[in-house]
Amino acid sequence: MAIYLPGTAEDQSVSLEQLTPREIVAELDKYVIGQQAAKRAVAIALRNRHRRQKLAPELADEIMPKNIIMIGATGVGKTEIARRLAKLTNSPFLKVEASKFTEVGYVGRDVESIVRDLVETAIEMVREEKLEEVEDKAELNAEDRILDLLLPQPAAPAAKPTGTPVQVITMQVPKDGEVLDLSKLDLSKALEAAQDKATEGQLEEQQAPASSAEAAPDAASLARTREKLRAQFREGKLDDRIVEIEARERNSPNIEIVGVGSSEESDVNLKDILPGLFGPRSRKKKMKVSEAFEYLIEEEESRLIDMDQVTRTAIDRVEESGIVFLDEIDKIAGREGGHGPDVSREGVQRDILPIVEGTTVNTKYGFVSTDHILFIAAGAFHVSKPSDLIPELQGRFPIRVELQSLTVEDFLRILTEPKSSLVKQSIALLDTEGLKLEFQPEALEEMASFAFRVNETTENIGARRLHTIMERVLDEISFQAPDLVKQAQAAEREAADRGEQREDGVIAQVEPSTIPVKAGEPVPERSPLPVVLRRNGDTTERVVEVHADYVRQQVASIVKNQDLSRYIL
């Protein structure tokens, strides 16, 4: 039996070489209990990928992935097995519903969008990995830019000319027609004046090092001031200061060209066609330091990441380890009827067939081959059966596994075993109000029993039925929790004013609902649920303990009435 166990182990990628099929099943057991046949099937398919990568390229290209069809009701773990498998190996994963695709010529999504969406998912995955690598450097660069805004650097002094100074002697130029008589020139006076100017220049050069020595302490002082600002910035003392930065406009004009092809192919970005005309625009914008820091981090990250390399890595990862979970495959099963809303079901199967068997899809990032993408199809198959699929598509899913429905024991385990089970989630939520919620073991058994009974008598929605049961049980407690805490606090203050210590015992009550379950019907008599004051060392707890009688009081009357069960539970 399958149980979704969220968060029972750390989400981390594991090298495919380190995982044997037995170890893959053991990892999946941490999230989904039971369903051994489905786990073995996906474990073998995953291990075959690793085996294919060790073969010669000529033979490796001939080996196709072993696609799988999972048959089972909703809520038994079909999607979770595929999702956890992808996370286990850090593979690009995409979940799509087969029912939203239509045959070419009808209004709906094109099946090739599956590959395009998978590439987008892989690019985002690889980009997140690269962001983690450059995160520290980007934050440091953004921090330096913030400090430059808060403490601008002084302008550098103009460089003085270097080399041997040239002595210039000035004299009066004769007029036109006159002859220059050098004997009449007093060259001695001119030479004395030039020597005086040279002496003044030497004195200025001697004074220049003194000016540089004075500038050195100023640079050291500026560096100390900058480090003080850095310390204040890291402590958050400068977050509310206003700075002005150059913010780039991120909006780019898009046009849609109407023509032959899918809507994904016709979406054209003018910035890609005319990069010079629609270049990045920027404008000055004032914002707080904290906001500017986040903006500058994003800007620095985009500068440090090579998106071309990210795209190449993402496409390789899609082609070699991509996983597509094709849900509701039973909704498109069935042969062509020629009328009604099912007119294009067989057409959709024929459109999906090339993607599954292997083809090349043109995306805006380049051509992507689907030859070695693993497809996992799933469906309840209540009305149809896998043999209703067209023969060509049946042959592309050689492995078929059936998942079993949940039992009472399975429901009980899902309430108690996971790290973030429904019980622990509810306890944590009410703890924020100052109310401690406790469940008796018998109460959990009653909820598991009611969930199983409702699934048997109405639609079987698997483990999701526990959500409706839990919400019905905690309805009044969640609604009255803030008021109960206020009542308890008021009673404790009154006791303190009298110089007394409030004794352990009942301090409030969860009053039963006065709203009829169905309009026109009388409200049955119900007992209040006490809120107990309990001292645990130096701390005082306000405890609400849910017992089996309270669960039956909240749920039993609805479960008995099948009409109400269909609407409420």
Side-chain angles (χ1 to χ4, degrees), residues 156-311:
K160 293 185 177 181
T162 59
T164 305
V166 179
Q167 299 179 3
V168 181
I169 300 176
T170 59
M171 61 182 67
Q172 186 176 4
V173 179
K175 299 179 180 179
D176 295 340
E178 294 184 358
V179 179
L180 179 61
D181 188 359
L182 296 177
S183 61
K184 294 182 180 181
L185 292 175
D186 190 355
L187 295 177
S188 60
K189 291 184 178 180
L191 289 172
E192 290 178 0
Q195 290 176 356
D196 293 341
K197 290 183 178 180
T199 304
E200 293 176 0
Q202 292 176 359
L203 291 174
E204 291 178 358
E205 290 177 0
Q206 292 175 359
Q207 293 174 358
S211 301
S212 300
E214 293 175 0
D218 293 340
S221 175
L222 185 64
R224 288 194 299 269
T225 304
R226 186 180 179 86
E227 291 305 315
K228 290 180 181 178
L229 278 176
R230 189 187 301 273
Q232 293 178 358
F233 170 75
R234 291 179 177 178
E235 293 174 0
K237 296 180 180 180
L238 307 178
D239 288 349
D240 294 332
R241 284 198 184 184
I242 303 298
V243 293
E244 188 177 47
I245 65 172
E246 290 282 343
R248 294 184 180 181
E249 295 182 358
R250 302 182 182 180
N251 296 329
S252 58
N254 290 335
I255 62 172
E256 184 172 330
I257 300 176
V258 179
V260 180
S262 64
S263 60
E264 288 85 358
E265 292 175 335
S266 60
D267 189 22
V268 181
N269 193 340
L270 283 181
K271 187 172 65 175
D272 297 333
I273 302 175
L274 304 172
L277 181 60
F278 297 103
R281 298 180 179 180
S282 60
R283 60 186 180 88
K284 291 187 176 181
K285 186 177 180 180
K286 291 184 178 181
M287 59 180 69
K288 292 183 179 181
V289 167
S290 57
E291 298 173 355
F293 183 59
E294 296 296 331
Y295 176 84
L296 293 177
I297 286 178
E298 294 181 4
E299 196 172 273
E300 290 296 327
E301 288 174 343
S302 62
R303 290 179 180 177
L304 294 172
I305 294 177
D306 184 1
M307 287 305 298
D308 291 336
Q309 181 184 1
V310 168
T311 302

Side-chain angles (χ1 to χ4, degrees), residues 48-49 51-66 320 371-372:
N48 281 338
R49 278 186 165 180
R51 293 166 179 161
R52 187 187 68 84
Q53 294 172 0
K54 291 184 176 182
L55 299 177
E58 297 80 8
L59 183 58
D61 291 339
E62 299 297 326
I63 297 178
M64 297 293 105
K66 303 300 186 290
E320 295 298 325
D371 291 343
H372 301 290

Side-chain angles (χ1 to χ4, degrees), residues 5 25 36 59 106 108 124 151 157 160 193 252 283 298 426 547:
L5 302 180
V25 172
Q36 295 302 313
L59 183 58
Y106 291 87
E124 185 62 24
L151 185 66
K160 293 185 177 181
S252 58
R283 60 186 180 88
E298 294 181 4
S426 302
H547 46 75

Side-chain angles (χ1 to χ4, degrees), residues 446-447 449-451 453-454 457 469 472-473 517 524 526 548-565 568-569:
E446 283 293 327
M447 284 191 284
S449 176
F450 281 132
R453 197 183 312 173
V454 175
T457 56
I469 297 293
R472 188 66 190 175
V473 170
V517 177
R526 296 173 179 174
D549 291 338
Y550 186 77
V551 173
R552 287 190 288 268
Q553 174 179 294
Q554 294 292 107
V555 182
S557 60
I558 302 175
V559 173
K560 290 179 181 178
N561 191 325
Q562 291 191 12
D563 293 334
L564 289 178
S565 296
I568 298 177
L569 299 180

